[in-house]
Amino acid sequence: DTEVTQTPKHLVMGMTNKKSLKCEQHMGHRAMYWYKQKAKKPPELMFVYSYEKLSINESVPSRFSPECPNSSLLNLHLHALQPEDSALYLCASSLRGHIQYFGAGTRLSVL
Amino acid sequence: DQQVKQNSPSLSVQEGRISILNCDYTNSMFDYFLWYKKYPAEGPTFLISISSIKDKNEDGRFTVFLNKSAKHLSLHIVPSQPGDSAVYFCAATVIIQGAQKLVFGQGTRLTINP
């Protein structure tokens, strides 16, 4: 089982809204990741959590706020986003090795 | 600074023939290379990987070759099937601040024609 579950699948929000993206895995993986993917572009790393601690923040604007409440759950809190933040947001997890397993993503539209 | 490059945006191959997807990289510190397959509206699916100390890894119809001196890797799919039509991403891992970072190429859209 290599399932990473992301909710919601689609999200439309205004620039003044606050919303959250959720990611869950029950594979015992201790590293979890957020990526952003724009159309016709590769996924770009945003954040890495290792053992529930933030290890990497790729200079992401503060309107994106990650949270790792426990080893199975990863959230991405969104506030005051801009239309250019519209993208596919992907979550991934990995055990100790080099293979990251991705969820299906949340398609976000900011109006 | 694009450290992983896939120079062919698209590739069209006849069903049953070999598909060869190519990838170049610049960072000698990468320790693993991976290929992911992506369908529209889905996340990337892991296909196959290779350690930087190996030169070949095979898994069923998929074989990855690594040429470290040329900083080049390729994915061979034999025989190609219609279900292989997708975008293929080459990726490489590097350890930063004790955590693993995955760097992706731009992707190659593979179309398998019947």
Side-chain angles (χ1 to χ4, degrees):
Chain A
D1 180 17
T2 56
E3 187 169 348
V4 176
T5 303
Q6 289 188 245
T7 54
K9 291 192 186 305
H10 302 276
L11 179 63
V12 180
M13 60 186 292
M15 290 189 283
T16 59
N17 292 157
K18 286 185 180 181
K19 297 286 185 183
S20 296
L21 310 184
K22 181 179 173 181
C23 174
E24 219 168 344
Q25 57 87 13
H26 298 286
M27 299 177 280
H29 290 180
R30 303 316 299 264
M32 297 185 76
Y33 311 79
W34 280 115
Y35 289 84
K36 174 181 178 179
Q37 185 177 22
K38 301 282 277 185
K40 300 188 187 300
K41 296 287 187 183
E44 292 184 354
L45 183 66
M46 300 174 72
F47 302 104
V48 179
Y49 272 84
S50 181
Y51 291 89
E52 301 162 48
K53 292 185 179 178
L54 184 63
S55 299
I56 297 178
N57 175 342
E58 291 283 272
S59 302
V60 179
S62 59
R63 57 186 184 269
F64 295 91
S65 175
E67 179 196 19
C68 189
N70 58 59
S71 60
S72 300
L73 189 57
L74 185 66
N75 297 320
L76 186 62
H77 302 298
L78 314 172
H79 174 54
L81 294 193
Q82 304 297 311
E84 59 265 29
D85 295 322
S86 298
L88 180 67
Y89 288 84
L90 293 162
C91 174
S93 71
S94 65
L95 186 53
R96 285 181 299 275
H98 56 283
I99 302 171
Q100 295 183 21
Y101 296 95
F102 286 81
T106 294
R107 175 73 60 188
L108 174 68
S109 297
V110 182
L111 304 178
Chain B
D1 176 26
Q2 195 174 348
Q3 299 183 66
V4 178
K5 297 181 183 179
Q6 293 174 257
N7 292 317
S8 298
S10 62
L11 175 67
S12 186
V13 175
Q14 193 171 3
E15 181 179 359
R17 306 295 288 265
I18 183 171
S19 295
I20 301 176
L21 296 104
N22 294 303
C23 179
D24 297 297
Y25 64 95
T26 57
N27 189 343
S28 300
M29 299 302 292
F30 288 141
D31 49 6
Y32 283 92
F33 300 90
L34 302 85
W35 285 94
Y36 283 86
K37 173 180 178 180
K38 188 176 187 301
Y39 294 118
E42 293 186 12
T45 300
F46 170 73
L47 276 177
I48 191 169
S49 65
I50 188 168
S51 165
S52 59
I53 62 172
K54 304 283 188 183
D55 54 21
K56 178 183 176 181
N57 187 27
E58 190 173 354
D59 184 2
R61 296 187 298 116
F62 302 94
T63 303
V64 57
F65 295 92
L66 176 62
N67 182 334
K68 281 189 295 182
S69 61
K71 292 190 171 67
H72 177 84
L73 68 154
S74 61
L75 174 68
H76 292 211
I77 306 174
V78 182
S80 301
Q81 299 174 354
D84 295 330
S85 295
V87 177
Y88 287 77
F89 288 100
C90 169
T93 65
V94 62
I95 302 296
I96 296 178
Q97 299 169 24
Q100 182 194 86
K101 179 175 177 177
L102 198 58
V103 180
F104 285 87
Q106 296 290 99
T108 296
R109 180 175 299 279
L110 175 65
T111 302
I112 305 301
N113 302 308

